[in-house]
Amino acid sequence: MQEEVNQRTMALSIRASKLTGKVLASAFSKVVKAAKGHHQKALTPKGRQSVKKLLNHRGDKTSIPYVGAPKDFDRIAKIYEVDYAFRKVSPGHYLLFFKAAQSGDITEAMRKYSEKVLHKGREKTSILGQLRRFTELVRAKPKKKQRTREAVKDGR
């Protein structure tokens, strides 16, 4: 099992009526080019990283001021595969740099994060607290006179 993990093989398929040196050389050059591409992808960090590494990526990067704990943004960014980095400006204040393969991912991640922050501020009341509040409301309501059967028979 360990040997299989350690050894990596690459399949090479060539269609040629005659296998010449040129055909073999071009096939190997394509294999080497593909291997370099895979190696470069493996070297590119994903998710949370340093600002320096993020700025070395290709593509557009965006930065916004961020207030709060960076941990809150971590889970959401992982879901949407956003590459991001924090730079501390002052205690509790950061500058958030981020980049994603598609701009829609960034938009959706920021929407989800803002929704989470807005819901975090709301207080959740316990069910017992709600029950006590409703019983107080019922007690405070004026009681209606109930008509008894005898009053109905008498025509009152």
Side-chain angles (χ1 to χ4, degrees), residues 96-127:
L96 170 64
F97 293 90
F98 53 91
K99 173 187 171 287
Q102 297 177 351
S103 63
D105 292 340
I106 293 172
T107 307
E108 193 63 27
M110 295 310 281
R111 184 191 64 76
K112 191 82 162 184
Y113 174 72
S114 61
E115 184 178 297
K116 180 180 178 180
V117 169
L118 290 174
H119 287 332
K120 193 175 188 179
R122 294 182 184 166
E123 287 185 32
K124 293 182 181 178
T125 57
S126 68
I127 298 203

Side-chain angles (χ1 to χ4, degrees), residues 132-149:
R132 286 185 190 126
R133 189 170 49 101
F134 289 131
T135 53
E136 289 172 9
L137 286 172
V138 169
R139 286 183 187 155
K141 244 184 184 181
K143 292 184 179 179
K144 291 182 182 178
K145 278 191 173 180
Q146 294 182 353
R147 295 175 65 180
T148 61
R149 289 184 187 179

Side-chain angles (χ1 to χ4, degrees), residues 48-98:
R48 189 171 181 172
Q49 53 199 274
S50 70
V51 175
K52 186 176 182 179
K53 285 182 182 178
L54 183 69
L55 293 178
N56 285 335
H57 286 219
R58 291 188 182 130
D60 295 336
K61 289 97 179 159
T62 312
S63 65
I64 59 169
Y66 179 87
V67 178
K71 227 181 232 186
D72 295 339
F73 188 74
D74 286 344
R75 288 189 182 122
I76 295 169
K78 285 179 187 174
I79 293 170
Y80 293 101
E81 297 178 5
V82 175
D83 299 336
Y84 62 100
F86 289 101
R87 175 168 281 158
K88 193 171 191 173
V89 179
S90 65
H93 296 271
Y94 299 90
L95 195 57
L96 170 64
F97 293 90
F98 53 91

Side-chain angles (χ1 to χ4, degrees), residues 147-156:
R147 295 175 65 180
T148 61
R149 289 184 187 179
E150 296 165 1
V152 172
K153 286 180 184 177
D154 292 341
R156 293 187 217 171

